[in-house]
Amino acid sequence: MSNIEIDSKMRNYCVDVETLGVESTTVILSAAIVYFDVEKNPSYQDLLDNALFVKFDSKDQVKRLARTVDIETLEWWQNQHEYAKSVSLEPSVNDVKAEVGIEMLHNYMNKIPNARGLTMWTRGSLDQMAIDSLCKKVDMQLLTGYNVYRDVRTAVDCFTGSKNGYCNVDYPGFERAAVIKHHPVHDCALDAMMLMYGK
């Protein structure tokens, strides 16, 4: 049973973005969002299967939208696992312009009743600032209200006694080794698991 007291009837989202910097104006490489209903006790695989992944066109963001790139973050990416780089950093035939990617995120959320009234969990504040900034840059509606965002790290630390924003997950068959670091879908799914089943 989780030590994190999330209302059993609470419906939530986790969102994660991979970026080329730590400012609100940064290029967003990719994003993922997953809806989870605590009452349904989803598994890690359920979360992976039900998430949306969006790969953004980073070059278009730099050239057309004047989004920023931090050299230190770019160097950090060069030292990450090849698979993580291939998912988010390297150009892909699936890359979409900012407006298309944001619309995909909105469409995912619109499938859920009262989507913009649900809690939106992120790991820290950068994800919210970056996606909000990108939405404003292309004159599109924000994903959700500023005041419905919550920080996963704070929740995990407060309710489990952790000091690093991570905790053990008490769910049958869950294997931490299955989590792919810096893959936004996996990052979302792990955060949701910790919020629901953390100890």
Side-chain angles (χ1 to χ4, degrees), residues 67-78:
R67 304 297 287 180
T68 58
V69 176
D70 177 70
I71 297 302
E72 289 184 3
T73 304
L74 189 57
E75 290 173 350
W76 175 88
W77 270 110
Q78 298 304 329

Side-chain angles (χ1 to χ4, degrees), residues 9-28:
K9 298 189 185 310
M10 185 178 278
R11 299 175 304 131
N12 308 259
Y13 294 103
C14 274
V15 67
D16 182 77
V17 299
E18 299 296 335
T19 69
L20 282 179
V22 293
E23 302 294 333
S24 62
T25 56
T26 185
V27 167
I28 295 180

Side-chain angles (χ1 to χ4, degrees), residues 11 38 61 97 103 116 133 135 138 147 156 158 167-168 188:
R11 299 175 304 131
V38 176
Q61 289 179 59
K97 288 186 168 40
E103 183 177 14
R116 280 158 189 82
S133 174
C135 289
V138 295
N147 62 340
V156 167
C158 286
C167 64
N168 293 325
C188 283

Side-chain angles (χ1 to χ4, degrees), residues 3-75:
N3 289 325
I4 300 178
E5 297 297 329
I6 294 183
D7 188 322
S8 65
K9 298 189 185 310
M10 185 178 278
R11 299 175 304 131
N12 308 259
Y13 294 103
C14 274
V15 67
D16 182 77
V17 299
E18 299 296 335
T19 69
L20 282 179
V22 293
E23 302 294 333
S24 62
T25 56
T26 185
V27 167
I28 295 180
L29 297 169
S30 62
I33 187 169
V34 65
Y35 165 77
F36 61 102
D37 184 337
V38 176
E39 201 166 40
K40 294 184 177 178
N41 297 312
S43 68
Y44 190 69
Q45 190 61 51
D46 291 333
L47 296 168
L48 295 180
D49 292 343
N50 292 315
L52 171 72
F53 173 76
V54 178
K55 177 71 164 63
F56 285 95
D57 185 333
S58 56
K59 290 183 179 179
D60 178 68
Q61 289 179 59
V62 172
K63 293 179 181 177
R64 182 171 64 93
L65 303 176
R67 304 297 287 180
T68 58
V69 176
D70 177 70
I71 297 302
E72 289 184 3
T73 304
L74 189 57
E75 290 173 350

Side-chain angles (χ1 to χ4, degrees), residues 100-167:
V100 175
I102 292 166
E103 183 177 14
M104 292 168 66
L105 293 166
H106 277 296
N107 288 343
Y108 177 93
M109 293 179 67
N110 288 339
K111 295 176 182 177
I112 310 300
N114 190 33
R116 280 158 189 82
L118 305 186
T119 302
M120 181 74 81
W121 293 93
T122 63
R123 179 158 286 274
S125 58
L126 176 61
D127 302 61
Q128 176 187 357
M129 293 190 302
I131 198 69
D132 280 0
S133 174
L134 187 60
C135 289
K136 290 174 184 176
K137 185 70 176 180
V138 295
D139 296 318
M140 293 184 72
Q141 180 185 9
L142 303 183
L143 295 186
T144 192
Y146 181 86
N147 62 340
V148 300
Y149 280 89
R150 299 292 183 270
D151 176 31
V152 173
R153 289 184 296 199
T154 301
V156 167
D157 284 357
C158 286
F159 289 107
T160 70
S162 170
K163 301 297 182 187
N164 64 0
Y166 291 94
C167 64

